[in-house]
Amino acid sequence: MNPLYIGFPAFLTGSIISYAIREYMMGKLSAEQIGAISLAQRRYRLRLLLTCGVLTIFVLAMRMITGGGLGRPAFYAFLASLVVVYVWFNVRTYKAAVNLLSNSHRRLLLAALAAGFAGFAALVASMAAT
């Protein structure tokens, strides 16, 4: 299974759907709510970027140092840790925003997070199957 044929289009589709739902939700919020949500989620976005960057550098270093012997298990560990980090990020950003949103907005945010995760999971699964 080639990730470019199945995983990448699924990831793009999930990301676009998630973005569309978020934009629809943001159109219904006030400027104060949007600002409060953005500020509450700022530290989690930074941690996500740093963690994914460190994981990528670690796997590339493992691949170059050990050759092919530990490359495949390191790649699987990398994919598993990316899923854990992505789920952690979504849970933390949802918890940061849940106090500021009404029930209908919470459902929209949860739908956006689920659509994004579905695309991400399809990409990771196709990468693991190669």
Side-chain angles (χ1 to χ4, degrees), residues 68-126:
L70 291 176
R72 194 169 209 57
F75 181 67
Y76 289 145
F78 172 67
L79 291 178
S81 58
L82 279 181
V83 170
V84 169
V85 167
Y86 191 82
V87 168
W88 171 83
F89 172 72
N90 281 337
V91 167
R92 296 305 297 176
T93 56
Y94 180 76
K95 283 185 178 181
V98 78
N99 295 332
L100 304 168
L101 299 174
S102 66
N103 283 336
S104 62
H105 292 120
R106 288 180 195 157
R107 288 187 203 116
L108 285 173
L109 180 61
L110 196 57
L113 294 175
F117 180 73
F120 179 74
L123 177 64
V124 168
S126 67

Side-chain angles (χ1 to χ4, degrees), residues 8-23 112 115-116 119:
F8 193 65
F11 176 72
L12 283 178
T13 303
S15 297
I16 290 170
I17 291 171
S18 176
Y19 177 76
I21 293 172
R22 284 179 196 241
E23 284 299 314

